[in-house]
Amino acid sequence: MRLLEKKLAPTNKSFTIYRNQKPCLDEQWHFHKELELIYINKGNGLRFIGDHVAEFNEGELVLVGSNLPHLWKNSPEYYNNLGLTTDSLILQFDPNFLGDTFLQMHESVSLRKLLSKAKNGIEFRNEKVKKEIFKHLVDLQTSQGFESMQTVLQILHKLSIEDDISIFVSSGFSEDINDKDSKRLDKVYQFVLENFHRDIQLSEVAELSYLGISPFCRFFKKRTHKPFSQFLNEVRVGHACKLLITNELSISQITYSCGFNSQTNFNRQFKKIKNVSPRDYQKIHLNRN
């Protein structure tokens, strides 16, 4: 996933709203100046935001900050012509679209805090709030003039006072753009996404990067703020979460289909990343549905 800076098409509006309805969300790992609020109405897969990797599902609402690298990549079945489609609503706006003066006003304290938190990516978890925001985003597609600005402000206000949230990116994360390093990460990420279900040797990914094993480990940790083994386990656990929710395979089958060599190791890594056992994770989500 080579990291690209995306230059959004200029408009005479202070924000952009659009709906993506297509077979898959297969975009490159990218960043842009504009903040992005995305609601996943249909689709699932893995979410990459800065140094964060996890699964995403329908009904997800996320705010991505300015210049924060991100990618939503669908599960493998979306690329196999099975008739699956995705549906997402996306609102993009410049961090200064209201002007510096407005943001410095006393009444804008909560909004300033929201935009500051967005630098690390925010997931909003309150189901009622997510449904309200989805409706606003739908309405925003057809509203005009000052009415549309009112709707954007309503959305940001509701998000700014919401406290049922998760922050994605570690506080120490910062993306230092380097084209050569991005090409290396591109090869490694794509390789992992295509091969996580089998045993992957460090020598394989090091060779992709034209580095020895020790230099590769130092390079990967410096760029992603985590060891390669942790990243690989996060991708595997992310895929396992989807399989647990669909409830079509046993936990033992899921263990080996996601590349883990034992159920003990799978349980340990899953709980380390999700703070809950695979079986309890499955129960929680099946009961919720």
Side-chain angles (χ1 to χ4, degrees), residues 141-204:
Q141 291 182 279
T142 55
S143 61
Q144 299 291 328
F146 187 67
E147 179 188 357
S148 65
M149 179 58 73
Q150 283 182 307
T151 303
V152 172
L153 290 175
Q154 277 186 298
I155 290 172
L156 294 178
H157 172 66
K158 288 183 178 180
L159 296 180
S160 70
I161 61 175
E162 179 56 39
D163 56 7
D164 188 5
I165 63 174
S166 292
I167 303 297
F168 291 124
V169 179
S170 61
S171 58
F173 176 83
S174 62
E175 184 59 53
D176 182 20
I177 305 305
N178 178 300
D179 189 59
K180 183 179 179 181
D181 287 353
S182 294
K183 288 179 181 178
R184 280 177 171 165
L185 282 178
D186 179 23
K187 290 181 179 180
V188 173
Y189 280 18
Q190 291 291 357
F191 179 81
V192 169
L193 288 170
E194 292 170 5
N195 295 278
F196 67 85
H197 57 278
R198 68 170 179 83
D199 183 37
I200 294 177
Q201 300 296 318
L202 268 174
S203 57
E204 294 181 87

Side-chain angles (χ1 to χ4, degrees), residues 18-276:
Y18 62 97
R19 191 164 193 165
N20 259 346
Q21 294 174 306
K22 54 186 183 180
C24 56
L25 296 169
D26 191 12
E27 289 197 47
Q28 286 183 290
W29 196 38
H30 67 281
F31 67 98
H32 40 73
K33 178 184 177 184
E34 294 77 8
L35 287 93
E36 181 171 289
L37 180 67
I38 178 169
Y39 181 91
I40 304 293
N41 190 44
K42 194 175 181 182
N44 60 65
L46 284 178
R47 175 206 315 118
F48 298 78
I49 301 178
D51 60 1
H52 159 92
V53 183
E55 78 283 0
F56 74 86
N57 292 289
E58 295 178 359
E60 176 171 292
L61 180 66
V62 169
L63 179 62
V64 178
S66 179
N67 295 322
L68 179 59
H70 57 281
L71 166 72
W72 273 254
K73 188 171 182 65
N74 285 115
S75 301
E77 59 266 26
Y78 282 82
Y79 306 93
N80 295 331
N81 298 316
L82 299 178
L84 297 172
T85 59
T86 66
D87 179 19
S88 57
L89 276 159
I90 300 163
L91 170 65
Q92 295 169 331
F93 57 95
D94 189 280
N96 293 316
F97 83 110
L98 293 169
D100 289 331
T101 303
F102 181 89
L103 286 176
Q104 296 309 313
M105 292 179 178
H106 176 72
E107 294 82 357
S108 302
V109 170
S110 61
L111 180 55
R112 284 203 306 273
K113 290 181 178 179
L114 174 71
L115 299 186
S116 179
K117 290 177 183 176
K119 293 176 182 178
N120 289 338
I122 310 171
E123 179 182 14
F124 300 91
R125 301 182 300 201
N126 186 302
E127 293 299 329
K128 181 180 178 182
V129 170
K130 289 194 289 184
K131 289 177 182 177
E132 290 175 354
I133 298 301
F134 173 68
K135 185 178 184 304
H136 283 315
L137 291 173
V138 171
D139 293 342
L140 195 56
Q141 291 182 279
T142 55
S143 61
Q144 299 291 328
F146 187 67
E147 179 188 357
S148 65
M149 179 58 73
Q150 283 182 307
T151 303
V152 172
L153 290 175
Q154 277 186 298
I155 290 172
L156 294 178
H157 172 66
K158 288 183 178 180
L159 296 180
S160 70
I161 61 175
E162 179 56 39
D163 56 7
D164 188 5
I165 63 174
S166 292
I167 303 297
F168 291 124
V169 179
S170 61
S171 58
F173 176 83
S174 62
E175 184 59 53
D176 182 20
I177 305 305
N178 178 300
D179 189 59
K180 183 179 179 181
D181 287 353
S182 294
K183 288 179 181 178
R184 280 177 171 165
L185 282 178
D186 179 23
K187 290 181 179 180
V188 173
Y189 280 18
Q190 291 291 357
F191 179 81
V192 169
L193 288 170
E194 292 170 5
N195 295 278
F196 67 85
H197 57 278
R198 68 170 179 83
D199 183 37
I200 294 177
Q201 300 296 318
L202 268 174
S203 57
E204 294 181 87
V205 286
E207 186 177 347
L208 284 174
S209 306
Y210 303 104
L211 294 169
I213 292 177
S214 294
F216 168 76
C217 291
R218 290 194 295 270
F219 156 77
F220 193 88
K221 188 168 185 179
K222 180 179 179 181
R223 284 303 307 260
T224 66
H225 300 265
K226 65 183 71 176
F228 174 76
S229 59
Q230 181 182 336
F231 169 76
L232 177 58
N233 283 329
E234 288 173 350
V235 171
R236 286 171 168 167
V237 166
H239 186 64
C241 288
K242 173 185 174 295
L243 297 179
L244 287 166
I245 293 171
T246 56
N247 198 27
E248 293 176 354
L249 299 175
S250 69
I251 291 180
S252 177
Q253 290 173 312
I254 291 172
T255 296
Y256 297 103
S257 68
C258 291
F260 290 99
N261 56 12
S262 74
Q263 195 161 327
T264 300
N265 185 36
F266 172 56
N267 290 339
R268 182 171 60 249
Q269 296 300 334
F270 193 100
K271 191 164 187 177
K272 180 179 178 181
I273 292 169
K274 291 297 180 180
N275 296 315
V276 66

Side-chain angles (χ1 to χ4, degrees), residues 274-286:
K274 291 297 180 180
N275 296 315
V276 66
S277 71
R279 194 169 299 281
D280 286 343
Y281 179 92
Q282 186 178 53
K283 287 178 181 177
I284 292 167
H285 285 270
L286 291 180

